[in-house]
Amino acid sequence: LKETDASRRCMDDNNYDKDMCTAYFLKYKNCRKFWHNIMIQRRRNGVKPEMPTAEERKKILESME
């Protein structure tokens, strides 16, 4: 959600010039890819729900720092 909002804000701030927001789009794309892979792994392992809860997502991100 944070990456989505940042991308939209960048587009608003730069008169919808996509070239000015490439970095934001890359962050958004990488974020989606990361969480999609987490969901696939959880599905394979039979973990429900497939998307981690907000608390689980926070722990996952903290473990990466």
Side-chain angles (χ1 to χ4, degrees), residues 44-57:
R44 286 182 185 148
N45 294 338
V47 177
K48 297 285 181 182
E50 292 173 359
M51 175 57 92
T53 63
E55 185 176 308
E56 289 175 309
R57 290 192 304 266

Side-chain angles (χ1 to χ4, degrees), residues 18-61:
K18 290 182 181 180
D19 294 333
M20 298 293 291
C21 301
T22 303
Y24 291 99
F25 294 144
L26 280 174
K27 288 179 185 179
Y28 172 80
K29 183 178 175 181
N30 289 335
C31 179
R32 277 188 48 100
K33 185 177 179 179
F34 175 81
W35 290 111
H36 180 74
N37 288 336
I38 297 284
M39 286 175 48
I40 289 172
Q41 190 62 46
R42 287 171 65 100
R43 187 177 307 136
R44 286 182 185 148
N45 294 338
V47 177
K48 297 285 181 182
E50 292 173 359
M51 175 57 92
T53 63
E55 185 176 308
E56 289 175 309
R57 290 192 304 266
K58 183 178 178 183
K59 288 179 183 177
I60 291 169
L61 293 174

